Amino acid sequence: MTTASSLKEIIKAGAADLGFSSIGFARALPVTESMREHYLHWLSVGGHADMRYLENNLDKRFDPRLLMPGVKTIVVVALNYFPSCRLPEGEPQIADYALGNDYHDLVKAKLRLLAERTGFQLLQRDAVAVKEGDPPGYRAFVDSAPVLERYWAVQAGLGWIGKNHQLIIPHAGSEFFLGELFVTEELPPDKPMTSRCGKCHRCVDACPTQALCLPARQVDGYGEITGFSSYRCLSYQTIENRGELSAGAQAAMDCTFYGCDCCQRACPWNRFAIPTTEEALQPRRELLEMTRQKWDNLTVETYRRLFKGSAVKRVKYEGLMRNIRALKS
């Protein structure tokens, strides 16, 4: 007979086989009141800029049991995306996470494989809790549902939240995609991890638009949280923003026209990062051969070919050209 502890070990072994770098388990309970208050305050002061979807489904965001009836455990996985190579030095750059294929599809496919190999059955969005005698049920989420991913990663013991708002995994860094399996099986939870950032604030100092600010405040069940303005952040400006780039963004872009990794590259924990071996996350040869002149003359056809199956398509051709035109000469 498979016990909860042995099932947990089976899931961990399966995650490693699928290439996940880290995995943890948390009880599916409402978030702490402190976390709830912090998130609502952040919305109230406009910290999310115009990303209105972050205001939706707050009841489910704060209580995973409302998102999937019957959920007992949240399994959180991390997939390394630290690049083995970047675009040529001196040429326009894009953020590390977008060099390969879209992580949403990749991580979700791996999560479903993990669940199905373990014997879980997929539950539909409107499904009620599984009945007694049914196989354990699951749903997979990857940055596309009202799930506080980093909160649950902390609860599951994967790492802590750095002052740059990224999940930091000890002796591994922060360049990881997160994904979650909500399962109806009650599995032994892992112990949440406390921050190891100490007095370091290199990420705050490195932010070119001062999107991060100190002092940090303590939030139960999450750790210290610095102030964060999405509107100022270059990742927001060059990806989520559908209007014109702010003057601050244009002045701070330097050579990166999609996203920003300044706070991550400043983090001392990323000196432990190991390049990913995941084939789907490797940049395509044509992308590596792009030059400033080629970017300036990028056509819709080349854009579609370069970024087929890529997260970069989120910004669309017009948005990408807006960013390219704003690059410094």
Side-chain angles (χ1 to χ4, degrees), residues 11-12 14-15 18 20 23-28 64 68 71-77 107-118 120-122 137-142 147 149 152 156 178-185 187:
I11 296 172
K12 289 169 67 175
L18 287 167
F20 288 118
I23 183 171
F25 300 74
R27 286 197 177 97
M68 189 184 107
V71 62
K72 296 289 195 305
T73 304
I74 297 177
V75 184
V76 186
V77 296
V107 177
K108 183 166 282 189
K110 286 179 178 288
L111 279 173
R112 286 176 172 167
L113 270 177
L114 175 61
E116 289 159 10
R117 289 178 182 178
T118 312
F120 293 128
Q121 67 173 352
L122 176 64
Y138 83 92
R139 284 185 64 190
F141 301 102
V142 183
V147 177
E149 292 193 311
W152 292 112
L178 298 177
E180 301 79 39
L181 280 178
F182 281 30
V183 299
T184 58
E185 193 80 358
L187 301 170

Side-chain angles (χ1 to χ4, degrees), residues 11-328:
I11 296 172
K12 289 169 67 175
D17 287 342
L18 287 167
F20 288 118
S21 308
S22 187
I23 183 171
F25 300 74
R27 286 197 177 97
L29 298 171
V31 305
T32 63
E33 185 62 24
S34 180
M35 181 68 225
R36 183 179 180 277
E37 290 176 357
H38 166 76
Y39 190 87
L40 292 174
H41 173 74
W42 182 66
L43 293 179
S44 71
V45 297
H48 60 316
D50 62 357
M51 294 181 285
R52 301 302 177 200
Y53 60 87
L54 293 174
E55 303 171 10
N56 299 335
N57 299 301
L58 291 177
D59 55 342
K60 296 176 181 177
R61 201 177 294 273
F62 297 144
D63 189 345
R65 300 170 302 179
L66 301 178
L67 184 59
M68 189 184 107
V71 62
K72 296 289 195 305
T73 304
I74 297 177
V75 184
V76 186
V77 296
L79 182 69
N80 176 27
Y81 69 80
F82 189 78
S84 56
C85 65
R86 297 187 173 99
L87 304 187
E89 188 175 349
E91 298 294 348
Q93 303 289 314
I94 63 178
D96 289 350
Y97 89 91
L99 289 170
N101 288 350
D102 193 335
Y103 67 95
H104 296 88
D105 301 329
L106 177 64
V107 177
K108 183 166 282 189
K110 286 179 178 288
L111 279 173
R112 286 176 172 167
L113 270 177
L114 175 61
E116 289 159 10
R117 289 178 182 178
T118 312
F120 293 128
Q121 67 173 352
L122 176 64
L123 297 180
Q124 300 304 315
R125 181 174 298 182
D126 56 353
V128 296
V130 293
K131 300 175 183 177
E132 186 175 350
D134 287 345
Y138 83 92
R139 284 185 64 190
F141 301 102
V142 183
D143 194 25
S144 58
V147 177
L148 293 175
E149 292 193 311
R150 284 166 288 180
Y151 174 88
W152 292 112
V154 172
Q155 291 297 300
L158 268 69
W160 70 90
I161 303 303
K163 292 184 175 73
N164 59 2
H165 284 241
Q166 303 300 309
L167 179 80
I168 299 176
I169 299 177
H171 302 290
S174 61
E175 298 209 12
F176 292 89
F177 299 125
L178 298 177
E180 301 79 39
L181 280 178
F182 281 30
V183 299
T184 58
E185 193 80 358
E186 190 163 351
L187 301 170
D190 291 309
K191 184 179 179 180
M193 192 175 297
T194 56
S195 174
R196 299 184 190 176
C197 286
K199 295 181 180 179
C200 178
H201 49 79
R202 296 184 194 179
C203 58
V204 177
D205 297 341
C207 179
T209 58
Q210 291 77 55
L212 300 164
C213 61
L214 292 171
R217 58 179 293 187
Q218 188 70 31
V219 176
D220 295 340
Y222 195 78
E224 288 189 337
I225 303 183
T226 54
F228 176 65
S229 166
S230 295
Y231 180 80
R232 290 185 180 182
C233 180
L234 282 177
S235 287
Y236 165 80
Q237 283 288 330
T238 58
I239 301 173
E240 299 294 335
N241 175 28
R242 295 294 178 258
E244 292 301 314
L245 297 174
S246 69
Q250 293 184 54
M253 282 173 67
D254 195 20
C255 63
T256 302
F257 65 94
Y258 182 91
C260 179
D261 287 323
C262 289
C263 65
Q264 296 199 98
R265 293 184 184 175
C267 178
W269 286 99
N270 276 318
R271 71 183 185 274
F272 297 108
I274 298 173
T276 181
T277 57
E278 177 65 51
E279 185 61 32
L281 297 178
Q282 306 303 323
R284 300 168 187 175
R285 177 178 296 181
E286 186 177 5
L287 183 61
L288 294 174
E289 293 174 347
M290 292 295 288
T291 63
R292 176 60 192 265
Q293 183 178 15
K294 289 180 179 179
W295 286 119
D296 286 340
N297 295 290
L298 184 70
T299 64
V300 174
E301 292 73 20
T302 303
Y303 160 81
R304 289 173 177 165
R305 186 174 65 250
L306 273 178
F307 298 116
K308 182 179 181 181
S310 164
V312 175
K313 293 190 74 173
R314 181 171 181 81
V315 76
K316 303 188 186 316
Y317 173 76
E318 293 77 12
L320 200 66
M321 293 308 298
R322 171 201 64 185
N323 297 346
I324 291 169
R325 286 192 293 268
L327 285 176
K328 295 179 180 179

